[in-house]
Amino acid sequence: MGAADFDGFYRSNASFYGDRPALSLIYYLDKYNVKGEGVGLDLGCGQGRNALYLARRGFSMRGLDQSAEAVARLSGLADELQLDVNGSVADLANMAEADIEPQHYQIIVAYTLLDHLSQEAGAKLAQAMVSGLAPGGFLFASVFLVDDPGCCGRGGRASETAAYIRHYYRSGELRAQFSQLEALAYQEEYALDLSHGWAHHHSMARLFARKPIN
């Protein structure tokens, strides 16, 4: 499945994943008193729920996604709400298209994006994310784990978009992938998801980390 397939989901629903940002992102930003200043990057931004929220907090946001439908809605909402968000279409498995400037971003978000890439491409993008953070900058990433119902025919009702996942992470793998950063919070959970489609469960890992200043 490619961008055209995901375009269909976004075309059928003007707010496919809802407009509310990830609750864990809000929690971590508040808990660690992250100031809304500087440039931010949302990789796999979709229709923009996290990018728009970060712009409201004061970040100058750049959002990248392979779906033209998603980026069009993000750009339209940013204009309507007069928020500083620049959305672009990009294949994030291609480092040239991602074009992550080294030591530039105060925050980088990859919410269920790395698992949509092959293991090799995800590892390369993760390193580019580490390099792209300015000293003291923050990273928020989440991925699906191998005990997710969508993985390997496991029991339970899978998400309608489970076929898009290329690499389900092992326990602890996400944290190890960003070992160069200071892990402020790391969580693995199995939880009910009511944000899109039918009611289903996900097994997920979330990481909130900071790049050392020295």
Side-chain angles (χ1 to χ4, degrees):
M1 290 187 176
D5 303 294
F6 231 121
D7 280 345
F9 285 110
Y10 290 128
R11 194 177 298 115
S12 66
N13 189 330
S15 184
F16 184 73
Y17 288 108
D19 295 319
R20 186 172 65 173
L23 295 178
S24 47
L25 174 60
I26 299 172
Y27 174 77
Y28 293 141
L29 293 175
D30 290 343
K31 179 177 181 179
Y32 295 102
N33 194 30
V34 177
K35 306 298 183 185
E37 54 190 24
V39 182
L41 175 63
D42 187 357
L43 297 168
C45 61
Q47 294 166 304
R49 60 193 183 116
N50 291 320
L52 293 167
Y53 173 74
L54 289 166
R56 289 189 187 97
R57 288 187 72 119
F59 290 101
S60 175
M61 291 299 301
R62 178 186 180 212
L64 298 178
D65 198 278
Q66 67 169 358
S67 169
E69 286 283 337
V71 170
R73 183 172 190 272
L74 164 62
S75 299
L77 283 172
D79 289 344
E80 178 184 332
L81 299 171
Q82 297 184 326
L83 292 173
D84 187 4
V85 183
N86 177 30
S88 299
V89 177
D91 176 3
L92 294 172
N94 183 328
M95 291 297 99
E97 288 195 30
D99 189 26
I100 301 175
E101 185 177 344
Q103 308 216 33
H104 182 65
Y105 297 97
Q106 291 300 321
I107 189 166
I108 296 179
V109 171
Y111 193 77
T112 64
L113 176 276
L114 293 167
D115 43 21
H116 285 67
L117 306 176
S118 69
Q119 186 172 7
E120 180 182 4
K124 288 180 179 179
L125 184 60
Q127 287 306 301
M129 292 163 64
V130 172
S131 175
L133 283 173
F138 295 89
L139 175 135
F140 175 61
S142 70
V143 294
F144 295 118
L145 297 173
V146 291
D147 57 344
D148 188 273
C151 180
C152 311
R154 295 183 182 274
R157 195 175 194 188
S159 162
E160 75 273 36
T161 58
Y164 289 91
I165 307 301
R166 300 277 311 277
H167 172 59
Y168 284 92
Y169 276 59
R170 301 179 304 278
S171 177
E173 183 179 354
L174 179 67
R175 184 169 186 166
Q177 197 169 51
F178 291 99
S179 60
Q180 297 163 270
L181 305 179
E182 175 192 1
L184 300 175
Y186 179 75
Q187 175 188 25
E188 296 182 3
E189 69 170 357
Y190 190 81
L192 180 65
D193 186 352
L194 300 173
S195 69
H196 63 101
W198 48 74
H200 57 281
H201 286 79
H202 280 305
S203 181
M204 299 184 71
R206 298 184 183 90
L207 173 69
F208 192 72
R210 178 167 50 202
K211 189 170 188 176
I213 294 177
N214 298 319

